[in-house]
Amino acid sequence: MDVFKPLVSVPMPAQARSQQALERFLAAGEGLLAANRFEEAGVAEIAREARSSVGTFYRLLEDKERLLLLLLQRFLMNVEKIVDERFDPEAWADKSLEEVSRGLVGFFVQLYKDRRGVLRALILQGSRDPKVRDRIHVTNDFVSQKTAAVLRLHRDEINHPKPDKAARFISHMVLGALNQHTITGNFGTTSQRELTDELGRVFLSYLSLK
């Protein structure tokens, strides 16, 4: 399902060579984001990383901000697709509430770990650009709704007077904690496994509170 409206549109080049160049620019930008070097990199460096030219960059993308928005847009669309597939309630039907809680948190933590560079850029760009910030809200709402759909399987075990609201709220809480982790780089000396375990406990405990 198409939840996200485009942040930016770039016409697909007609020639195969230009299409390949565009993909290389996107891959180069992704690599720079992963290395936390995108902001300091100039167009010449991006073109060099993409094995292309500055002229081709400007012809296909116009400016560096458009490349960034394309990368963020592609990430959001990928998140939409993965969450839509992985959060199918039928796939979780044989799991206990504890297993569901830890499984959902584990998915979130792994996603943030694998794409920390893009997520860091998304969070920072969202703090500056209202359009990006609005898309982040849409993404978070989508994820929280899908989380609630999975947890609805255990509605009778959730002690909150409004189970769906609780499911959406705890999803936002976990995402907020991971946003903080993405920006600062750590939670003190907490490892990824400990982070998953502790957030899983928070997730389950909140749903179990009377």
Side-chain angles (χ1 to χ4, degrees):
M1 59 185 298
D2 294 325
V3 171
F4 306 106
K5 295 180 181 178
L7 288 170
V8 64
S9 62
V10 172
M12 178 58 68
Q15 296 183 349
R17 181 182 299 179
S18 295
Q19 293 175 14
Q20 293 166 1
L22 179 59
E23 284 301 318
R24 291 199 303 273
F25 282 127
L26 290 167
E30 184 92 27
L32 290 167
L33 286 175
N36 199 23
R37 291 178 46 234
F38 187 89
E39 287 199 10
E40 66 188 52
V43 170
E45 181 178 355
I46 295 172
R48 185 167 58 252
E49 292 284 338
R51 305 187 310 281
S52 189
S53 68
V54 171
T56 300
F57 178 92
Y58 283 115
R59 178 170 59 82
L60 295 176
L61 291 162
E62 296 184 7
D63 56 38
K64 186 177 160 185
E65 182 177 1
R66 178 162 291 207
L67 172 60
L68 176 60
L69 291 177
L70 271 178
L71 290 168
L72 300 182
Q73 177 172 284
R74 187 164 71 167
F75 170 74
L76 292 175
M77 292 174 67
N78 190 47
V79 167
E80 175 191 14
K81 181 175 183 295
I82 293 173
V83 169
D84 206 32
E85 293 172 353
R86 293 283 298 274
F87 286 34
D88 179 357
E90 291 186 7
W92 301 81
D94 62 340
K95 306 292 185 184
S96 68
L97 178 58
E98 180 175 358
E99 289 172 327
V100 169
S101 298
R102 295 188 183 280
L104 293 174
V105 169
F107 169 82
F108 292 143
V109 171
Q110 190 63 47
L111 175 66
Y112 272 70
K113 176 180 179 294
D114 291 344
R115 305 303 300 279
R116 180 174 291 176
V118 178
L119 279 159
R120 185 188 299 112
L122 182 65
I123 295 166
L124 294 175
Q125 189 70 13
S127 70
R128 299 188 287 251
D129 186 339
K131 182 171 66 174
V132 174
R133 184 163 58 249
D134 288 345
R135 293 300 176 270
I136 292 173
H137 292 325
V138 171
T139 305
N140 288 344
D141 286 343
F142 174 73
V143 172
S144 71
Q145 289 168 16
K146 297 295 288 188
T147 300
V150 173
L151 289 171
R152 206 166 288 134
L153 297 167
H154 297 278
R155 185 183 182 91
D156 293 342
E157 300 172 60
I158 298 175
N159 290 321
H160 194 283
K162 296 182 178 179
D164 279 358
K165 181 178 181 179
R168 293 193 299 270
F169 182 76
I170 191 60
S171 172
H172 284 292
M173 283 184 62
V174 170
L175 294 177
L178 290 172
N179 285 346
Q180 175 68 17
H181 181 64
T182 298
I183 294 298
T184 62
N186 60 62
F187 274 128
T189 58
T190 305
S191 67
Q192 180 182 341
R193 181 173 180 177
E194 290 171 330
L195 178 62
T196 302
D197 288 344
E198 295 308 312
L199 285 177
R201 289 189 178 94
V202 171
F203 194 104
L204 183 61
S205 296
Y206 175 76
L207 295 176
S208 302
L209 286 174
K210 293 185 178 180

